[in-house]
């Protein structure tokens, strides 16, 4: 059974930084693309970033490009999201997710929720102004 457990969320002032982690188990982590999504209150869930199974390819939503960095440590079965220069509009519940297909990455598809078949429970990020 696949499990994804996020951690690292919290309350931070605007301009601050946080690093989210997502620990995976139950699947050969190093062979799967991983994604981060977020959902703010009253809004639909949206794509944040994705990273291919090898870590070679990354893709970001325009709203976070240049501020957030996705990375992974396949030896630790963990994917990270480093978030810098946080803004109040970054406030949301952040989820990690794992792609449903072994060794598949497509930039055109990485932001599509339907690519991902398992999701974590989410970690809350709140940015105060």
């Amino acid at each position: 059974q696949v499990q994804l457990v996020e951690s690292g969320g919290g309350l931070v002032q605007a301009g601050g930084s946080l690093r989210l982690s997502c620990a995976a188990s139950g699947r050969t982590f190093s062979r799967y693309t991983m994604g981060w999504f977020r959902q703010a209150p009253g809004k639909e869930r949206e794509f944040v970033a994705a990273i291919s199974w090898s870590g070679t390819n990354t893709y970001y939503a325009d709203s976070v490009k240049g501020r957030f960095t996705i990375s992974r440590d396949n030896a630790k079965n963990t994917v990270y999201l480093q978030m810098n220069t946080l803004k109040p509009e970054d406030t949301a519940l952040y989820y990690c997710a794992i792609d449903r297909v072994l060794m598949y990455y497509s930039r055109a598809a990485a932001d599509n929720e339907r690519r991902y078949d398992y999701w974590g429970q989410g970690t809350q990020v709140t940015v105060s102004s």
Side-chain angles (χ1 to χ4, degrees):
Q1 182 178 356
V2 177
Q3 286 192 320
L4 302 174
V5 181
E6 301 97 335
S7 60
L11 174 63
V12 63
Q13 289 189 332
S17 298
L18 282 174
R19 188 176 83 153
L20 306 184
S21 300
C22 171
S25 61
R27 189 174 279 181
T28 309
F29 176 81
S30 62
R31 304 291 183 91
Y32 289 87
T33 290
M34 298 293 295
W36 283 98
F37 291 76
R38 67 186 182 186
Q39 187 168 22
K43 295 187 177 181
E44 293 187 351
R45 189 160 55 188
E46 64 175 3
F47 170 76
V48 175
I51 186 166
S52 60
W53 71 90
S54 64
T56 302
N57 301 105
T58 58
Y59 179 47
Y60 298 91
D62 287 343
S63 59
V64 306
K65 201 174 297 182
R67 299 188 298 122
F68 290 11
T69 302
I70 188 171
S71 62
R72 65 191 298 160
D73 185 337
N74 285 342
K76 295 182 178 180
N77 288 355
T78 301
V79 62
Y80 304 98
L81 186 68
Q82 177 67 44
M83 305 185 296
N84 299 329
T85 320
L86 282 161
K87 304 175 181 180
E89 51 264 43
D90 294 318
T91 294
L93 189 60
Y94 283 72
Y95 299 91
C96 68
I98 189 166
D99 197 280
R100 63 179 65 247
V101 178
L102 182 72
M103 296 180 70
Y104 179 84
Y105 176 80
S106 166
R107 177 168 173 160
D111 59 355
N112 186 344
E113 288 190 22
R114 287 176 290 181
R115 287 257 17 114
Y116 303 89
D117 58 349
Y118 286 93
W119 297 74
Q121 81 291 348
T123 186
Q124 179 67 39
V125 172
T126 303
V127 184
S128 63
S129 58

